[in-house]
Amino acid sequence: MTVRNLARVTVVANMVVVVIGLIVLALLPSAGRPEARVKVKPAPALPGARLPPPVSATAESARKAQANEAGLIPVIMYHRLLPKRIASIDRTPAQVRSELERLAKDNYVPITAAEFVSGTINTPAGTHPVVLTFDDGNPSHFAVDAGGMPKNDTAVGLIYEVAAKHPNFRPVATFWINRNPFGLKDPAQQAQAVKWLLGHGFEVANHTSSHPDLHRLTTKQVKEQIVRQERLLKKLGVPASTTFALPYGSRPKKLTAAHDGEWDGTAYHFDGVFLAGAEPSVSPYAKSFSRYAIPRIQSNGKHGDCRRWCTTYWLDWLDKHPQERYTSDGDPTHVSVPKKLEGKIISSKAKEIIAY
């Protein structure tokens, strides 16, 4: 498959994710479920999320690294982590651990969705950025134990577990949350959890207040859903979101309402809007980058509908087509590409192109 053919599966895949998502929503536990009381202690010592020190790339060093910063970047979408899967988009901790281990061994380095959208991609030469995203703020994504450490088999716990084994595997991810983040209903506990994540380099951002299918709403209702969640995030200490994930990947009838709008005196703007499937994204430096319709890849195997657009398929495909994958030159101030791809890059005052 060529890059030119990648977009062909997006529409079908998003429709599948919408249907699956509606089923999952119906299966979620009721709002009356007792919540765990979590007291977040001061941050323990964990692998750091700092970016590597900058280097100065040259044509020679870019060629040696086989840099291609016009290439494809996997943005991976996760939902619930359960010991026994209920819906097809659920993953077990063992499955997520295995996938993260594969990414680390294949020289992928996590960045946040905000870093990706802004073009702040600073990974070592020869490595490949990957964006780990978790939807809905499920309790399986983040919780801490009595010692203030991320609980085993939560998303954050698994990320740190893999990072401890693989020093280049930067422990960051993006959590797009709704009105009860991580199953917590107490505002103080919500704020503590969010503060912990932000303090460790994770991104926490807007996924609407109640997770509706935005295509079914009026434009005013779409804006209300986004603003209500943005106000909650502000109360929890989150800076204004720069990224937004569409619930079910479903786009509102008025497409611009997904990234710019105002409701009840509060305005919002997102630099990037993410879909729910079904392929790697082009580089944010590429002329073809569509920042308000960024595809993601569902974490899953190769069964059924996932034969062509879930992570196992795409990670295999990128391994077999390394020339199509984003490979870093190690220098965040330059964009390095083979000469034949120079015309695919957006020229920018902040970036200098190295074509080798």
Side-chain angles (χ1 to χ4, degrees):
M1 180 184 291
T2 65
V3 175
R4 195 176 304 170
N5 293 328
L6 294 179
R8 297 180 179 176
V9 298
T10 303
V11 173
V12 175
N14 275 293
M15 291 175 65
V16 171
V17 173
V18 170
V19 173
I20 293 173
L22 290 169
I23 295 171
V24 172
L25 192 63
L27 291 171
L28 287 173
S30 67
R33 180 190 59 180
E35 63 173 291
R37 301 296 292 178
V38 178
K39 184 176 181 180
V40 179
K41 294 189 176 183
L46 290 166
R50 291 183 179 179
L51 294 165
V55 300
S56 182
T58 64
E60 182 180 351
S61 69
R63 184 181 295 107
K64 183 178 180 181
Q66 296 185 304
N68 175 14
E69 297 185 331
L72 298 171
I73 298 174
V75 181
I76 302 178
M77 176 182 68
Y78 297 92
H79 287 86
R80 297 182 300 185
L81 279 61
L82 299 177
K84 185 175 181 180
R85 297 168 66 194
I86 298 173
S88 63
I89 58 175
D90 296 332
R91 302 297 275 160
T92 68
Q95 289 170 330
V96 174
R97 179 183 292 107
S98 177
E99 185 160 88
L100 296 180
E101 287 277 6
R102 174 180 181 171
L103 290 168
K105 291 174 182 176
D106 286 348
N107 290 319
Y108 284 95
V109 178
I111 62 174
T112 66
E115 291 169 338
F116 168 72
V117 167
S118 68
T120 309
I121 301 177
N122 184 11
T123 62
T127 64
H128 322 292
V130 61
V131 187
L132 308 176
T133 70
F134 295 83
D135 289 11
D136 310 337
N138 191 268
S140 63
H141 295 165
F142 177 66
V144 294
D145 60 22
M149 294 289 285
K151 283 188 176 180
N152 294 335
D153 290 345
T154 61
V156 176
L158 292 168
I159 289 169
Y160 276 118
E161 179 184 324
V162 174
K165 299 176 185 176
H166 304 274
N168 273 346
F169 195 78
R170 183 170 168 247
V172 299
T174 293
F175 294 94
W176 282 304
I177 63 174
N178 305 117
R179 63 188 173 199
N180 292 320
F182 313 114
L184 302 169
K185 296 183 178 64
D186 178 71
Q189 289 189 320
Q190 292 174 350
Q192 286 177 320
V194 167
K195 181 179 180 181
W196 196 103
L197 290 167
L198 294 177
H200 284 77
F202 293 89
E203 178 186 6
V204 180
N206 197 317
H207 196 41
T208 73
S209 178
S210 63
H211 202 281
D213 180 347
L214 297 183
H215 193 71
R216 296 174 178 266
L217 303 185
T218 66
T219 299
K220 181 178 179 181
Q221 289 171 328
V222 170
K223 294 176 179 179
E224 178 181 357
Q225 278 286 328
I226 293 172
V227 167
R228 286 191 181 279
Q229 186 61 12
E230 202 64 17
R231 287 176 176 175
L232 172 62
L233 290 169
K234 184 177 180 179
K235 288 181 181 178
L236 298 180
V238 180
S241 301
T242 60
T243 67
F244 175 62
L246 295 162
Y248 313 115
S250 181
R251 303 174 77 179
K253 297 181 184 73
K254 184 178 180 181
L255 298 179
T256 57
H259 54 82
D260 282 281
E262 180 271 338
W263 177 79
D264 191 33
T266 300
Y268 61 89
H269 166 76
F270 304 120
D271 294 327
V273 176
F274 290 75
L275 305 174
E279 63 205 21
S281 172
V282 299
S283 165
Y285 311 137
K287 291 178 179 177
S288 59
F289 180 60
S290 180
R291 66 175 55 252
Y292 298 132
I294 302 170
R296 293 189 285 166
I297 312 169
Q298 181 192 137
S299 175
N300 221 316
K302 294 174 74 172
H303 301 292
D305 294 328
C306 279
R307 285 192 300 270
R308 293 297 295 273
W309 54 66
C310 293
T311 47
T312 302
Y313 170 81
W314 278 113
L315 293 177
D316 287 348
W317 189 90
L318 290 168
D319 282 347
K320 294 174 183 175
H321 302 83
Q323 74 281 2
E324 303 287 357
R325 179 169 50 191
Y326 185 112
T327 300
S328 176
D329 66 359
D331 182 349
T333 66
H334 290 77
V335 176
S336 296
V337 293
K339 276 190 178 294
K340 65 181 180 180
L341 299 178
E342 185 176 5
K344 295 182 178 292
I345 295 296
I346 302 171
S347 296
S348 169
K349 294 180 181 178
K351 298 283 182 180
E352 183 177 340
I353 298 174
I354 297 176
Y356 62 92

